[in-house]
Amino acid sequence: RSPIGFIRMIVHFLLEASDELSEAELNSFLNDIETQSNYMLGFLNDLLDVTQIEAGKLNLKLKLVDLDDLLREAVYRHAKMAAPKDTQVLLEPDSIGQVTADPTRLRQAVDNLISNAVKYSPPGSIVKVSVEQTEEGWRINVQDQGPGLTAEDRQHLFQSFARLSAKPTGDEKSVGLGLAITRRVVEAHGGKIGVDSEPGGGANFWFTLPDS
């Protein structure tokens, strides 16, 4: 409700006083509307995803996916978005491999983990993305330098609308659906998801995918 209320307030103000605003002030208000609208659109998309998945209607469109290409594109995109926090998003070498997966859903899972890592890490930190081959297939890791997870956090992790102890470090929004969706996407591919973390020691979120 908060973003909608904020948008209504700005629109009401613009209707009443738009003639008195400078171009810079008007652009600032319009940017605020765009930011809040994008947040609401993201939330609705996540909510629709959860509803679709829980109804058993997650239809995967499988094809051969090059992990190096997918991860490089994701890291490049998130590195630009993390720049205002002076946070680096780096791809470690040895990311060569292919999996049979739905590229859109796989990208969604990777995006959720990287965006969470940036969101909860302090400014000026480093987020490392890597992939390694295991006996079961491939394991994708997203390691951050955030506050880590408490024992209570672990009890609610990967659940819908989960509220963890950590707070976003750059006033980012969070509704607690990203990790829940990621878990369902990974499991739909026959993989596993987990995290290695200690309070104060950052977190390494990972998921596995069967070999092609």
Side-chain angles (χ1 to χ4, degrees), residues 16-185:
E16 294 291 328
S18 59
D19 293 339
E20 304 172 9
L21 298 174
S22 67
E23 183 176 352
E25 290 173 324
L26 181 60
N27 286 335
S28 177
F29 281 121
L30 292 176
N31 286 332
D32 286 339
I33 290 175
E34 181 183 32
T35 298
Q36 296 297 328
S37 298
N38 287 337
Y39 166 66
M40 280 302 302
L41 181 60
F43 168 71
L44 290 173
N45 285 335
D46 285 347
L47 193 59
L48 289 172
D49 277 344
V50 168
T51 302
Q52 184 183 48
I53 291 169
E54 291 184 344
K57 297 180 179 179
L58 180 61
N59 297 317
L60 300 179
K61 299 178 180 178
L62 301 176
K63 61 184 294 186
L64 203 59
V65 178
D66 187 290
L67 286 175
D68 185 66
D69 290 343
L70 184 140
L71 293 178
R72 286 187 184 281
E73 193 274 335
V75 166
Y76 173 76
R77 184 171 64 255
H78 285 279
K80 291 197 298 183
M81 292 190 291
K85 293 180 70 172
D86 196 28
T87 295
Q88 298 182 66
V89 183
L90 305 176
L91 178 63
E92 295 190 336
D94 301 325
S95 58
I96 299 173
Q98 291 183 321
V99 294
T100 300
D102 183 321
T104 300
R105 290 298 184 180
L106 182 55
R107 183 166 58 246
Q108 181 183 28
V110 172
D111 283 346
N112 282 341
L113 293 188
I114 297 178
S115 64
N116 263 16
V118 173
K119 186 183 300 180
Y120 294 103
S121 292
S125 59
I126 298 175
V127 173
K128 294 181 180 179
V129 180
S130 64
V131 60
E132 57 186 306
Q133 192 166 19
T134 68
E135 293 182 357
E136 298 178 351
W138 296 92
R139 170 168 154 154
I140 290 92
N141 303 282
V142 179
Q143 184 176 8
D144 64 48
Q145 297 177 328
L149 299 171
T150 65
E152 185 177 355
D153 287 337
R154 289 177 175 275
Q155 294 179 4
H156 305 289
L157 204 59
F158 304 118
Q159 296 178 8
S160 297
F161 301 106
R163 294 294 185 181
L164 305 181
S165 60
K167 304 299 181 185
T169 57
D171 295 325
E172 298 97 333
K173 301 291 185 179
S174 176
V175 294
L177 286 174
L179 289 179
I181 292 172
T182 301
R183 176 176 68 84
R184 288 165 170 80
V185 168

